[in-house]
Amino acid sequence: MAHHPEPASSSLLASATSKKEWYGLLLESATGLCDGEPNHIANCANLSSLFYQAYLEQANPSRINWFGFYLVDRTKTNELVLGPFQGKVACIRIPFGKGVCGTACSEMKTQVVPDVHAFPGHIACDSVSESEVVVPVVDRQGRLVGVLDVDSPLKNNFDEEDVSALEALAEIVGKASEWP
Amino acid sequence: MAHHPEPASSSLLASATSKKEWYGLLLESATGLCDGEPNHIANCANLSSLFYQAYLEQANPSRINWFGFYLVDRTKTNELVLGPFQGKVACIRIPFGKGVCGTACSEMKTQVVPDVHAFPGHIACDSVSESEVVVPVVDRQGRLVGVLDVDSPLKNNFDEEDVSALEALAEIVGKASEWP
């Protein structure tokens, strides 16, 4: 077994009495999973799993259909390349400035999109996606290293509490990992 | 939208009249997804999705509960680190020679384990796993770069046809990608 704490169990998460508490438990698990592990791929992979599987257990069908990371490709200029994720097969490359992910990079700002079909230049990777949040991920030096991308099959799925939690997660992985 | 062909659709996969045809369609999609894309993380991430989601659509509950990659960590000696995957949170690091993944590396040979509880030193990442296949992934020069790891919640889940298809997938991603 690995040198990391057990993630928050289904029963522990199910015991949360508010969305705030639920996210609190998840973020505590996220911090634990990355503790002492600098590998950014392993961290992005496990955190995608932690959150995607938690949403899946919370509701069926899940209110999240894609959860993962795009990473800045250092071999290219201003381009994201697909990183670890859970959900259906996705677009591989996204230039900065294009779609919701690319806009998060060019503006260095979280994008909350209640209706992706109304977003100019939206890149439809999974046709069931209706709303989306994209959070820039920066490293300890404040350098952009990727984005956290979360899609929902429901319009207007993300409220302020969701967005705050996703921003906290992006900060955890950004600071915990070493990035190329 | 991305510069890659659409993966085999659910309806196309559902039309397959044999396991051989089903895997044929999946492997064709796998080759298409990696076509012209050297990034090993993007390829491992999309191929994990392609296969995991296909198993999920084929049967509910799925006969596969974990599908993904461990990668050789070039900053360490003889150690695997977690790569892209789909399924529940997993162990982060596995030394060569330990568990099913580590044994695939030290023996450079596919491991087919009908009952993981009978495998000496098995590393239980997800307690529901009952059988497992691990295939070494080598690059174009024949160098070991990681393993493809597939877990099932059913004992004795993998027959020769499954193993051949997973070996073909490991060869596709190994040859298509550039590896550190």
Side-chain angles (χ1 to χ4, degrees):
Chain A
M1 205 35 199
H3 356 290
H4 64 71
E6 282 290 299
S9 65
S10 320
S11 53
L12 183 62
L13 283 174
S15 76
T17 55
S18 67
K19 189 149 124 176
K20 191 175 171 175
E21 195 186 333
W22 189 78
Y23 275 127
L25 291 167
L26 272 181
L27 290 169
E28 207 176 294
S29 278
T31 303
L33 274 172
C34 298
D35 185 35
E37 179 51 65
N39 189 287
H40 70 294
I41 297 301
N43 287 342
C44 288
N46 255 345
L47 297 179
S48 297
S49 168
L50 177 69
F51 272 67
Y52 184 85
Q53 300 289 332
Y55 285 117
L56 203 61
E57 278 172 12
Q58 191 190 45
N60 191 358
S62 176
R63 63 186 188 101
I64 297 298
N65 61 297
W66 204 95
F67 195 105
F69 294 85
Y70 279 88
L71 308 173
V72 174
D73 186 346
R74 299 290 167 204
T75 70
K76 308 273 180 181
T77 306
N78 296 336
E79 193 169 289
L80 293 167
V81 64
L82 182 63
F85 70 93
Q86 304 226 0
K88 288 200 181 166
V89 165
C91 319
I92 299 174
R93 296 187 168 274
I94 302 175
F96 286 13
K98 285 272 173 75
V100 186
C101 289
T103 302
C105 293
S106 52
E107 298 187 357
M108 276 294 270
K109 222 177 84 181
T110 297
Q111 305 293 309
V112 184
V113 184
D115 177 0
V116 294
H117 305 295
F119 191 92
H122 170 246
I123 301 170
C125 279
D126 185 344
S127 59
V128 311
S129 299
E130 292 286 344
S131 60
E132 183 171 7
V133 172
V134 179
V135 184
V137 179
V138 300
D139 68 5
R140 286 184 287 262
Q141 286 74 45
R143 186 181 56 130
L144 179 73
V145 292
V147 298
L148 168 61
D149 181 10
V150 188
D151 286 24
S152 171
L154 309 174
K155 276 200 173 52
N156 205 16
N157 178 62
F158 302 97
D159 66 16
E160 275 179 39
E161 223 156 33
D162 296 306
V163 175
S164 295
L166 297 174
E167 287 179 330
L169 179 66
E171 183 158 348
I172 289 168
V173 70
K175 301 287 179 285
S177 310
E178 278 161 24
W179 301 86
Chain B
M1 207 33 202
H3 354 292
H4 63 71
E6 282 290 300
S9 65
S10 320
S11 54
L12 183 62
L13 282 173
S15 76
T17 55
S18 67
K19 188 148 124 177
K20 189 175 174 178
E21 194 186 335
W22 188 79
Y23 274 127
L25 290 168
L26 273 180
L27 291 169
E28 207 177 294
S29 277
T31 303
L33 275 172
C34 298
D35 185 36
E37 179 51 63
N39 189 287
H40 70 294
I41 298 300
N43 287 341
C44 288
N46 255 345
L47 296 179
S48 297
S49 168
L50 177 69
F51 272 66
Y52 185 86
Q53 300 289 334
Y55 286 117
L56 203 61
E57 278 172 13
Q58 192 190 44
N60 191 358
S62 175
R63 64 186 187 100
I64 297 297
N65 61 298
W66 204 94
F67 195 105
F69 293 86
Y70 280 88
L71 308 173
V72 175
D73 185 346
R74 299 291 168 204
T75 70
K76 307 273 180 181
T77 305
N78 296 336
E79 192 168 292
L80 292 168
V81 64
L82 183 63
F85 70 93
Q86 303 224 1
K88 288 201 180 164
V89 165
C91 318
I92 300 175
R93 295 186 170 277
I94 302 175
F96 286 15
K98 284 272 172 76
V100 185
C101 289
T103 302
C105 292
S106 53
E107 298 188 356
M108 277 294 270
K109 223 178 84 181
T110 297
Q111 305 292 310
V112 184
V113 183
D115 177 1
V116 294
H117 304 295
F119 191 92
H122 169 247
I123 301 170
C125 278
D126 184 344
S127 59
V128 312
S129 299
E130 292 286 345
S131 59
E132 183 171 8
V133 172
V134 179
V135 184
V137 179
V138 299
D139 69 3
R140 284 184 287 263
Q141 286 73 45
R143 189 180 53 130
L144 179 72
V145 292
V147 298
L148 167 61
D149 181 10
V150 188
D151 286 25
S152 171
L154 308 175
K155 276 200 172 53
N156 204 16
N157 179 61
F158 302 97
D159 66 15
E160 274 180 39
E161 222 157 32
D162 297 306
V163 175
S164 294
L166 296 174
E167 287 180 331
L169 179 66
E171 182 156 351
I172 289 168
V173 70
K175 301 288 179 286
S177 309
E178 278 160 24
W179 301 86

